[in-house]
Amino acid sequence: MNRRAAMPAGVAGLAAALLMMAALAWRALCPAALPAAPPAAAAAAFSATRALVHAAFLAQAPRPIASDTNARARDYLLEKLRALGLDPQVQTATVSSGGRDGAGNARLTVAVVHNIVLRIRGSAPPRHLPLMLASHYDSLPDAPDAGGAVAALLESLRALGQGAPPANDLIVLIADGEHAGSLGARAFVEQHPWARKVGLVLRFDGAPGQAPLALLDTHGGNGDTVAAWARLDAAPAGSSRGPGGAADPSPLRTLGLASMRFASPAHSVNDSAAMQHGGEAMVALARAFGARPLDTIAAPDRVFFSVPLAGALHYPERIVWRITRVAGVLCLLVCWATLRHGATRIGPLALSGAMAGALVALIVLSAAKPGATYLLAWPLIGVLLATGALHLPQTAALSRHARAAILATGTMPAIALLLPLAAAAWTRPAAPAAPADSITYLADATTWKSYWLDGAGARASTAAPRTGIAFPHIAMLEDDSTPARRQVAFALTSKNAAPTIELRVDGARVLAAHLDGRALATQRGGDWTLTLHGMGERRLHVKLELEGGVSARVHIQESIPGLPADAIPGKRTHAPRGGRTLSTDMLVLR
């Protein structure tokens, strides 16, 4: 076959390869739409129609910890669970956590949380480890997130109750205080007796975005859990590379031999197809793991990922280094052949350098994060195979169009795996900004005046009217000072029963601190901040031991969702849902 005769075939091959590339790129960037939820479902099947009723109620307003809307959401969930014939309980617990921010300031939190917990007995002997389904019902202060996940969980429990009971017990945790540092989950792990033995934890959290239910990450030996995920009809997307950003801090990771964390996007509260997809996956996973012993659920980890058209793929993590070695051998052979035919030209040198650099990155990734190696291994192998094919005697006489088609075909794995990742990084949503018309009402005890603050927290030029909002009530109990140390004790009461109270100490280092006799962490440097949730109108005893010889200030701020009704002029009765009220005072210790 001469080059002139090969030309038409080469052009056709290149056109076909480019068309395949375009189709694959389109499918990778625009996944197939989910099938519409059926208008009616069998009693034992998940129904998006029923779940969306619960989601609509939960989406009416934000539900931050200790707020009135949080309590109404809890009452609603308890009512619906009891209507299913279940026996939910409320775990009320005081829990604390501490840490440091990026500037080294100590940030502590103490909260009273109200978790909803229930246990459904299975048919297996009690010695079998239970399966746990977990979500949370609180939300951010300015966004009613996670409503879809909780609604899907509620409807899933109804569907699961229609058939024969599972073999394993089923523990359900709908936690409070997730957005206050996973405090509800911490209270369950540290204080609830059911947390002592759990076989597997399936977590369903809210997340921003427009994608369907997704598997964010796994914990523990994920071999069996990943295999079950891949067998689902229309398995939720997911990959073992893990989510971007900070690691998952939830205390629930310490429970059980394994866990899976799914994200339910915010849009599922009004998208029946997304709700149906997520709910069916939730029910299928609960039935699959409820029927098998969980004491041996942990299995060697597997690399897993989703590919357009192919669906969920997975293989043992132990073969990652074998795949890397195959890529290394191919890279050496292809680079040798490339340089042998064009050692003095820039193109072959640049191509060889790029392939060698990708191989080095793959080796580093194989050692540091084997679950993410698929992102480099298969695109690199695809390009190496295509490039190597061009050096075979059989391809020497092909036209440049045919050779370009071979190279284009070798980029298919990169398009399928890397293009969605690049698109997600490019379109990563920014943190939501406060609405332009967001209003904050501030009652400031240091000036005995009230102010309006705009969305950026800047004080408006005109004062706000006085209302029934009370200032923080502070009663000094002790103030003993020496050149080395200063001991200060005071009683603090929120006459507003504020859901959140924040105390911040600056100017002096906190050497010791106690709240109602409970010892709190101290600081090495920077400011010291204590955030309290759900204290109501309790009289709180705060005792601080500060370094002596310096002045200090204790800033106290109460935060209440919404605006005082008697402060809003008639023309502003449409005040935004995200409005809040602050009441502040300050102790100056000279």
Side-chain angles (χ1 to χ4, degrees):
M1 175 184 239
N2 57 42
R3 294 184 64 87
R4 184 168 296 179
M7 185 75 70
V11 172
L14 179 58
L18 293 177
L19 183 61
M20 290 174 59
M21 290 174 60
L24 184 59
W26 179 84
R27 186 63 184 270
L29 294 176
C30 303
L34 297 173
F46 184 93
S47 169
T49 302
R50 287 187 284 257
L52 288 173
V53 174
H54 307 313
F57 179 89
L58 296 171
Q60 290 178 359
R63 310 174 303 280
I65 181 174
S67 64
D68 292 340
T69 50
N70 178 280
R72 285 197 294 272
R74 181 170 63 252
D75 291 342
Y76 176 86
L77 294 173
L78 291 170
E79 175 190 347
K80 297 304 177 183
L81 289 169
R82 288 168 183 150
L84 297 177
L86 302 174
D87 184 26
Q89 306 296 323
V90 177
Q91 178 201 10
T92 300
T94 300
V95 64
S96 61
S97 68
R100 299 186 181 278
D101 60 18
N105 301 313
R107 301 194 64 86
L108 315 175
T109 304
V110 178
V112 178
V113 297
H114 304 276
N115 293 331
I116 299 174
V117 295
L118 64 95
R119 187 168 191 141
I120 302 173
R121 296 294 178 181
S123 59
R127 66 177 180 272
H128 281 221
L129 293 176
L131 169 67
M132 180 173 170
L133 304 181
S135 189
H136 65 92
Y137 69 92
D138 69 301
S139 76
L140 293 166
D142 55 359
D145 70 324
V150 178
L153 179 56
L154 197 59
E155 168 60 12
S156 296
L157 293 176
R158 186 209 60 76
L160 292 169
Q162 299 302 309
N168 301 319
D169 285 5
L170 179 63
I171 293 175
V172 178
L173 168 66
I174 308 178
D176 187 15
E178 179 68 20
H179 290 291
S182 300
L183 292 181
R186 182 181 297 277
F188 180 83
V189 170
E190 295 178 350
Q191 303 181 32
H192 203 286
W194 292 350
R196 295 172 185 169
K197 289 186 178 181
V198 174
L200 172 66
V201 181
L202 301 180
R203 295 167 50 200
F204 300 90
D205 296 333
Q210 297 299 315
L213 182 76
L215 174 57
L216 286 187
D217 58 23
T218 64
H219 180 65
N222 68 19
D224 284 354
T225 56
V226 164
W229 160 76
R231 286 194 296 268
L232 291 178
D233 293 334
S239 75
S240 52
R241 70 179 177 86
D248 175 22
S250 175
L252 294 179
R253 287 172 62 96
T254 64
L255 294 179
L257 301 173
S259 68
M260 306 178 77
R261 180 166 65 114
F262 296 86
S264 177
H267 84 303
S268 64
V269 299
N270 52 28
D271 186 329
S272 61
M275 179 66 78
Q276 187 72 29
H277 173 262
E280 288 179 351
M282 192 180 294
V283 172
L285 288 167
R287 285 177 174 155
F289 292 120
R292 59 155 297 175
L294 298 179
D295 52 346
T296 58
I297 192 66
D301 282 341
R302 300 182 76 83
V303 177
F304 62 94
F305 51 95
S306 302
V307 177
L309 301 177
L313 302 178
H314 58 97
Y315 51 84
E317 193 175 282
R318 66 175 182 273
I319 71 171
V320 162
W321 278 108
R322 298 179 193 173
I323 297 171
T324 301
R325 285 195 288 270
V326 169
V329 171
L330 286 174
C331 187
L332 290 176
L333 292 174
V334 172
C335 287
W336 172 80
T338 301
L339 294 175
R340 181 169 174 265
H341 291 86
T344 61
R345 298 201 303 270
I346 295 178
L349 288 172
L351 178 60
S352 299
M355 291 187 293
L359 177 62
V360 171
L362 177 60
I363 293 172
V364 172
L365 200 60
S366 298
K369 197 170 184 179
T373 51
Y374 72 93
L375 289 169
L376 271 178
W378 301 114
L380 178 59
I381 289 174
V383 171
L384 288 171
L385 289 175
T387 306
L390 297 180
H391 296 293
L392 297 175
Q394 295 85 345
T395 61
L398 293 180
S399 69
R400 59 188 180 88
H401 296 92
R403 297 169 68 85
I406 293 174
L407 281 177
T409 303
T411 64
M412 297 292 185
I415 293 173
L417 295 175
L418 298 179
L419 191 60
L421 185 65
W426 180 263
T427 60
R428 186 180 299 275
D437 60 348
S438 177
I439 304 173
T440 298
Y441 178 88
L442 171 65
D444 184 11
T446 60
T447 61
W448 291 91
K449 293 181 180 180
S450 299
Y451 305 90
W452 291 114
L453 308 183
D454 62 19
R459 184 168 297 182
S461 58
T462 57
R466 291 293 298 271
T467 67
I469 296 298
F471 298 125
H473 186 269
I474 305 168
M476 290 297 299
L477 304 176
E478 179 184 1
D479 187 4
D480 295 331
S481 180
T482 68
R485 294 176 180 266
R486 183 171 191 169
Q487 291 190 354
V488 177
F490 57 91
L492 172 63
T493 306
S494 172
K495 299 296 185 179
N496 304 307
T500 301
I501 307 171
E502 183 178 282
L503 292 82
R504 180 170 59 87
V505 178
D506 63 23
R509 194 157 56 95
V510 178
L511 305 177
H514 291 81
L515 174 68
D516 289 341
R518 176 197 293 257
L520 303 174
T522 55
Q523 67 181 117
R524 296 185 182 90
D527 294 345
W528 181 91
T529 302
L530 171 63
T531 303
L532 307 171
H533 298 291
M535 299 296 138
E537 296 188 43
R538 286 170 47 189
R539 181 180 170 91
L540 305 171
H541 291 266
V542 181
K543 186 173 183 179
L544 303 174
E545 185 174 330
L546 311 175
E547 63 177 327
V550 295
S551 60
R553 293 170 299 278
V554 182
H555 304 265
I556 301 169
Q557 175 179 285
E558 300 179 11
S559 180
I560 309 166
L563 302 173
D566 51 347
I568 305 173
K571 65 180 181 179
R572 298 177 78 173
T573 55
H574 64 287
R577 179 171 61 180
R580 64 171 180 162
T581 299
L582 302 179
S583 178
T584 62
D585 201 352
M586 181 171 58
L587 290 177
V588 180
L589 306 174
R590 304 186 186 282

